């Protein structure tokens, strides 16, 4: 039950948009799986990344029988590129962004309101909203 042994393949370096993405295979014999926080530090050490928070790990699947997991890894060059390119749900998981709490009912009401005003109706609805705000 030693430390996990990561290996990577399908390495793609997106230098114009400042990140590297690749598939990570983790060997962890004797362990059910490995926490992503531990993997972040190991991968950051492998690729000489200063801050382990710039390493994003996701979509891990453990092979049948255990001992090996496979997932995706993205290493960003800096925090600005992470905030720009990383999806919001993964930023929330990483603790970079607070989750916006909205009720299920509010989401459905907004969706249905948007369905009613499509096309040219959207501009009419904006005009009516401005007039209503102006009257108050």
């Amino acid at each position: 039950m030693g430390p996990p042994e990561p290996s990577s393949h399908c390495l793609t370096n997106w230098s114009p948009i400042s990140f590297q993405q690749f598939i990570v295979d983790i060997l962890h014999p004797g362990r059910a799986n490995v926490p992503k926080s531990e993997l972040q530090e190991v991968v950051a050490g492998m690729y000489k990344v200063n801050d382990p928070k710039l390493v994003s790990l996701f979509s891990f699947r453990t092979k049948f029988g255990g001992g090996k997991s496979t997932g995706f890894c993205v290493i960003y060059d800096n925090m600005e590129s992470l905030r720009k390119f990383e999806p919001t749900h993964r930023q929330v998981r990483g603790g970079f962004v607070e989750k916006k709490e909205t009720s299920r009912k509010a989401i459905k009401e907004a969706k249905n309101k948007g369905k009613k005003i499509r096309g040219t109706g959207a501009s009419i609805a904006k005009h009516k909203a401005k007039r209503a705000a102006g009257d108050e």
Side-chain angles (χ1 to χ4, degrees):
M1 287 219 297
E5 301 172 21
S7 64
S8 61
H9 54 95
C10 300
L11 178 68
T12 307
N13 191 355
W14 296 90
S15 55
I17 50 178
S18 62
F19 66 82
Q20 293 176 316
Q21 68 181 19
F22 47 91
I23 298 170
V24 182
D25 292 325
I26 313 292
L27 296 176
H28 48 88
R31 294 173 73 173
N33 48 27
V34 185
K36 287 183 186 171
S37 56
E38 186 179 337
L39 287 178
Q40 276 182 326
E41 293 170 6
V42 172
V43 171
M46 269 178 59
Y47 287 92
K48 298 178 181 73
V49 179
N50 297 333
D51 187 9
K53 286 190 169 188
L54 296 175
V55 177
S56 176
L57 298 160
F58 55 96
S59 296
F60 273 84
R61 295 285 177 263
T62 305
K63 298 291 182 199
F64 181 74
K68 183 179 178 183
S69 297
T70 303
F72 295 100
C73 179
V74 179
I75 300 177
Y76 293 95
D77 291 348
N78 50 38
M79 194 58 78
E80 294 83 44
S81 60
L82 183 140
R83 292 202 181 244
K84 184 175 180 182
F85 298 113
E86 189 76 355
T88 310
H89 70 278
R90 288 207 302 256
Q91 287 188 32
V92 169
R93 286 179 196 166
F96 305 115
V97 177
E98 287 294 318
K99 185 177 180 182
K100 187 172 65 172
E101 289 294 329
T102 54
S103 68
R104 184 175 167 86
K105 185 173 182 181
I107 292 169
K108 288 182 176 235
E109 285 176 353
K111 173 193 65 118
N112 290 331
K113 187 176 182 184
K115 281 167 48 176
K116 288 177 187 168
I117 50 173
R118 267 194 75 176
T120 56
S123 60
I124 294 169
K126 285 179 191 172
H127 180 71
K128 285 184 180 177
K130 276 187 183 176
R131 288 182 86 184
D135 291 342
E136 293 175 3

